Amino acid sequence: MNFWNTFAALFSNFGALTWQMVVMWGIGALLIYLAIVKKMEPSLLLPMGFGAILVNLPSSGAITQGDTVGPISALFEAGMSNELFPLLLFIGIGAMIDFGPLLEKPWLMLFGAAAQFGIFFTLFLAGFFFDMKDAASIAVIGAADGPTAIFVANTLKSQYLGAIMVAAYSYMALVPIVQPPVIRLLTTQKERRIRMPYEKGNVTQLTKILFPVVVTVVAGLVAPASVALVGFLMFGNLLRECGVLNSLSETAQNVLANLITLLLGLTVAGQMTADKFVRPDTLLIMALGLVAFIFDTAGGVLFAKLLNLFLPEGKKLNPMIGAAGISAFPMSGRVVNKMGLAEDNQNFLLMYSISVNVSGQIASVLAGGLILSLMA
């Protein structure tokens, strides 16, 4: 009799299985498919997808159950509840970025600022459905900057952290799918074929070293709440540009960034439990995140078109570069360059689009800090 009781106990968990958990398995499988087959941000989507399945097993030991602390829950407490993982990832991102082309043409920073329009538009829109702190957290999805979205949502204690994290990273990965239709809708073929010959300027090593320091100081004075985000990003860039810490810079770009991305993916998945995720408000958050993303893209493109009204023939800008002002680096810059080449195989926009993309990194962090200051 004891044998049969023990045997039956092995399958007792099946009774705790819900359809919502099965839905989350499907979402996890989709993320794994996108990572492996479509090669869309595999270092992030693969651990997120597998983690989503892991935490949606009945009585999963991967997350805290009663008094038993699960490892993924422990990771969340150690690295996400205090924003440590996003900040460490920003060191790696900063070490990857070369601000040289942007410093050659600093006017390109205007596009990074214009492409944050969707964040503030969505903040207004989300305010009709959520309280202001949750609405602000949801709006930052539009920056297409996962670490910033996590930092803001954590700081504002949003109850929708899991959905916000998934939406932010999903839209980062979906840049090649979401942005091109928006760009085509807002531009004519003639505009997409505008050539912008690149003339290389000269930026001294001292300028590159001073830039991250100056940006950090200015950000700290203008938006104090952003100083941690901006500071860690700029510290990573200082490692790159100082010239005396090359091994640390390479470690930050590769080992640190990859390891933190892996842990971040698993930790994000820890918030993707069925009871938190399969709800109507989660679907609304995903929709609002898409609205923010689309309006950010539109803001950059329309700003370029506005400038073209005042520029003479021969000096007009290709408005597609404005779309690269979101923070999804370097995916957005590459998408714009690819679209330019598709219209005209001699139309190379990469240097301009990547420079705008880099400015979007700074602008999205400042926008997140500004929102934190407004919500404080």
Side-chain angles (χ1 to χ4, degrees):
M1 192 67 179
N2 287 337
F3 169 78
W4 289 111
N5 287 339
T6 303
F7 183 75
L10 293 175
F11 299 94
S12 62
N13 247 7
F14 280 90
L17 186 65
T18 65
W19 67 267
Q20 290 95 335
M21 291 178 178
V22 177
V23 169
M24 293 308 298
W25 294 356
I27 293 173
L30 175 62
L31 294 176
I32 292 172
Y33 169 80
L34 293 174
I36 296 174
V37 179
K38 298 300 184 181
K39 296 181 174 58
M40 296 170 65
E41 294 296 307
S43 61
L44 182 68
L45 293 190
L46 186 63
M48 276 178 61
F50 187 79
I53 296 172
L54 194 64
V55 302
N56 283 289
L57 295 168
S59 304
S60 172
I63 54 177
T64 297
Q65 303 287 347
D67 294 330
T68 305
V69 178
I72 291 182
S73 298
L75 272 177
F76 180 85
E77 291 300 322
M80 293 292 281
S81 61
N82 55 11
E83 296 94 32
L84 181 61
F85 286 169
L87 292 175
L88 289 177
L89 183 58
F90 258 48
I91 294 177
I93 294 172
M96 296 176 193
I97 296 176
D98 178 10
F99 287 111
L102 180 62
L103 291 172
E104 292 173 10
K105 296 175 174 57
W107 55 270
L108 291 173
M109 292 183 187
L110 294 172
F111 294 102
Q116 309 311 309
F117 168 73
I119 294 177
F120 297 97
F121 175 79
T122 306
L123 173 59
F124 168 76
L125 192 62
F128 290 103
F129 306 99
F130 300 93
D131 68 53
M132 285 309 294
K133 290 192 174 182
D134 286 326
S137 302
I138 293 164
V140 181
I141 295 171
D145 185 349
T148 301
I150 293 169
F151 186 88
V152 172
N154 256 329
T155 303
L156 295 179
K157 308 299 181 186
S158 173
Q159 60 180 314
Y160 302 108
L161 178 61
I164 289 168
M165 289 190 293
V166 173
Y169 280 107
S170 297
Y171 291 132
M172 280 178 65
L174 293 173
V175 164
I177 295 174
V178 177
Q179 278 204 307
V182 179
I183 295 171
R184 291 193 189 97
L185 180 66
L186 296 174
T187 58
T188 64
Q189 186 179 63
K190 181 181 178 181
E191 288 175 324
R192 294 193 295 273
R193 288 183 172 178
I194 293 174
R195 293 186 181 183
M196 296 179 63
Y198 185 79
E199 297 177 3
K200 185 171 177 58
N202 183 36
V203 179
T204 65
Q205 187 69 17
L206 179 61
T207 302
K208 289 185 176 182
I209 291 173
L210 288 176
F211 180 72
V213 178
V214 172
V215 169
T216 303
V217 172
V218 171
L221 294 174
V222 175
S226 72
V227 75
L229 281 171
V230 175
F232 276 65
L233 180 71
M234 291 298 136
F235 174 67
N237 187 250
L238 187 60
L239 288 178
R240 174 193 179 98
E241 301 297 352
C242 69
V244 294
L245 293 173
N246 292 333
S247 60
L248 277 180
S249 174
E250 291 172 4
T251 299
Q253 293 178 48
N254 298 295
V255 178
L256 178 65
N258 289 332
L259 178 60
I260 295 299
T261 300
L262 176 66
L263 295 177
L264 200 62
L266 287 172
T267 310
V268 167
Q271 301 299 303
M272 294 174 65
T273 52
D275 60 320
K276 296 179 181 177
F277 208 83
V278 186
R279 305 189 313 192
D281 48 6
T282 300
L283 296 176
L284 180 57
I285 289 169
M286 298 295 286
L288 287 168
L290 181 60
V291 168
F293 191 83
I294 288 172
F295 275 83
D296 271 351
T297 300
V301 172
L302 293 175
F303 179 69
K305 288 170 71 77
L306 176 64
L307 291 182
N308 277 346
L309 295 176
F310 305 97
L311 294 174
E313 286 296 331
K315 296 290 185 179
K316 292 191 182 295
L317 307 171
N318 189 312
M320 291 196 297
I321 67 170
I326 64 168
S327 184
F329 176 84
M331 293 86 76
S332 186
R334 290 173 179 168
V335 165
V336 169
N337 183 61
K338 186 177 179 181
M339 290 184 69
L341 291 173
E343 297 289 344
D344 176 356
N345 60 13
Q346 296 300 311
N347 191 8
F348 298 98
L349 299 172
L350 186 62
M351 294 304 294
Y352 284 100
S353 63
I354 288 295
S355 297
V356 172
N357 208 177
V358 165
S359 75
Q361 277 280 332
I362 301 173
S364 67
V365 171
L366 290 175
L370 182 59
I371 282 180
L372 287 176
S373 298
L374 292 173
M375 294 296 115

